[in-house]
Amino acid sequence: MMREDEVNITIKHLQWTGSSMWALMNENKEVMYDKNDNALYGYTRKQAESLALRIADDMNFTTIQTEYFYGGKRKYKTIK
């Protein structure tokens, strides 16, 4: 059973008007923010994964999944 303060996140690839980033998304599919209202993202998947793992304990992440594409299909792998 999951505690109320535990969070499952997914790292997803987003594109806006030509910009590309990998954002940490909560269970409601919303971009996550730190306590200073900065969006949590990386310009590469590796940067976003590194960020998520680095702050996982402080932000109570229980599960971290990352999106990737294989054979033209969207897939997910669990990194924590």
Side-chain angles (χ1 to χ4, degrees), residues 53-72:
L53 291 169
R54 190 171 60 245
I55 64 174
D57 290 336
D58 291 338
M59 294 192 71
N60 299 319
F61 297 163
T62 52
T63 304
I64 301 171
Q65 288 189 322
T66 188
E67 176 183 72
Y68 69 98
F69 298 91
Y70 182 77

Side-chain angles (χ1 to χ4, degrees), residues 21-49:
M21 68 181 206
W22 291 83
L24 281 64
M25 311 285 285
N26 65 20
E27 291 139 335
N28 297 325
K29 298 181 180 161
E30 301 166 329
V31 174
M32 297 188 67
Y33 294 85
D34 66 12
K35 64 182 177 186
N36 297 319
D37 252 0
N38 297 310
L40 298 174
Y41 69 93
Y43 290 108
T44 67
R45 187 178 71 200
K46 292 284 188 199
Q47 287 176 337
E49 288 175 357

